[in-house]
Amino acid sequence: MKPLEILNQVQNDQGAFSFSKIGTFGSMKVLFLTDGIHPFQIGGMQKHSTILIGLLLERGVEITVVHPGGHNYSPEAFVTLFGLSHELKECQIDFPKTDSLPGHYVRENKKYSEQAYRQLEEELPTFDVIYAQGFTAWFFLKKRESGELKVPVLVNFHGFEMFQKPPSLRVKAEYTLLRKTVRWMIRKADYVYSFGAQIDEVLKKLGVEQERILLQSNGIRGEWLSDKVQSHDKMNFIFIGRNERRKGIIELNGVLEKMVKTNQ
């Protein structure tokens, strides 16, 4: 089984990840780029990174993780999180802070990506594949484009909202600051992750060929689910996620209010 096939299988089989086109588990070496690992950094992409790293380690994949550390981070805490493993190495790089001007998030990610590349430059030819969360692949793709980097790069943006209809003028302005860099990165990446359906169509319109699009089936682990449903006089709903306009919470609440009024 080829490296990319292994990565897709891990992600899709567990409902949390997906890799399917580039040896065996024992001979595979992955450079894993992320802007955070849960619980040192909080966020969906950070939690996804933690889960995926654990799943790959379970299959004997050799991984070097580039991450910025964070709250309560230490090398000992990192070992406690994933366990002591000869297959796992870490490269902790402080996430740079530039300024507070619009677009600072992208600029900081670009600087972080370059620092990661410089620190691992001599070791890069030993990897089978580079998996990158979000903007962390930026400098690696520049070197891939120039021919200096020979290792395939897989990019996972976990969403392409910046190319969809914005919910407000403020969000529209924020999207504008992201589009140029995201468009360039997905065109230069060897493979790009998608949630399928209309996201595939968005990627194709942006110049990503179907053969470079990988389906990602994000989900949750089985222990989160229960078939024991308790009945209550009142039904309560809980939303878990960032309170962002694009999450559609306003629309969801509107629908729920209508359902209550009509006893649905």
Side-chain angles (χ1 to χ4, degrees), residues 157-164 182 186 192-193 199 202-203:
F157 272 107
H158 292 260
F160 292 91
E161 294 88 353
M162 67 288 295
F163 298 108
Q164 300 172 54
V182 174
I186 61 176
V192 180
Y193 278 97
I199 300 301
V202 169
L203 292 174

Side-chain angles (χ1 to χ4, degrees), residues 58-177:
E58 287 177 7
R59 286 156 174 77
V61 176
E62 187 176 345
I63 311 171
T64 295
V65 180
V66 177
H67 70 101
H71 182 65
N72 289 332
Y73 163 77
S74 68
E76 293 76 20
F78 183 87
V79 171
T80 299
L81 179 62
F82 294 109
L84 188 61
S85 171
H86 295 297
E87 283 77 35
L88 179 63
K89 297 179 182 177
E90 67 165 324
C91 175
Q92 191 271 322
I93 298 174
D94 291 338
F95 197 80
K97 295 296 181 182
T98 55
D99 52 62
S100 58
L101 298 174
H104 67 89
Y105 175 71
V106 175
R107 290 193 296 276
E108 290 165 355
N109 268 277
K110 288 180 176 180
K111 191 171 182 180
Y112 175 73
S113 179
E114 181 173 359
Q115 289 175 347
Y117 184 93
R118 300 296 185 197
Q119 193 155 328
L120 292 164
E121 189 168 3
E122 293 185 2
E123 190 181 350
L124 290 176
T126 68
F127 291 98
D128 295 301
V129 64
I130 297 171
Y131 172 86
Q133 303 276 45
F135 292 95
T136 58
W138 178 75
F139 198 77
F140 291 80
L141 292 174
K142 285 181 68 70
K143 294 298 183 179
R144 191 88 170 106
E145 182 183 36
S146 68
E148 297 172 69
L149 178 64
K150 308 299 183 183
V151 185
V153 179
L154 287 67
V155 173
N156 191 343
F157 272 107
H158 292 260
F160 292 91
E161 294 88 353
M162 67 288 295
F163 298 108
Q164 300 172 54
K165 184 179 179 180
S168 67
L169 289 176
R170 178 180 177 180
V171 175
K172 183 178 182 180
E174 294 173 351
Y175 285 178
T176 301
L177 296 172

Side-chain angles (χ1 to χ4, degrees), residues 19 21 26 70 130 132 135 144 151 153 208 212 221 223 230:
F19 278 79
K21 294 176 186 171
I130 297 171
F135 292 95
R144 191 88 170 106
V151 185
V153 179
V208 182
R212 291 198 296 118
R221 289 193 167 194
E223 56 262 31
Q230 296 181 349

Side-chain angles (χ1 to χ4, degrees), residues 26-43:
S27 63
M28 182 177 171
K29 188 175 181 180
V30 175
L31 176 59
F32 195 108
L33 307 174
T34 178
D35 65 355
I37 294 173
H38 180 87
F40 312 126
Q41 299 284 346
I42 303 300

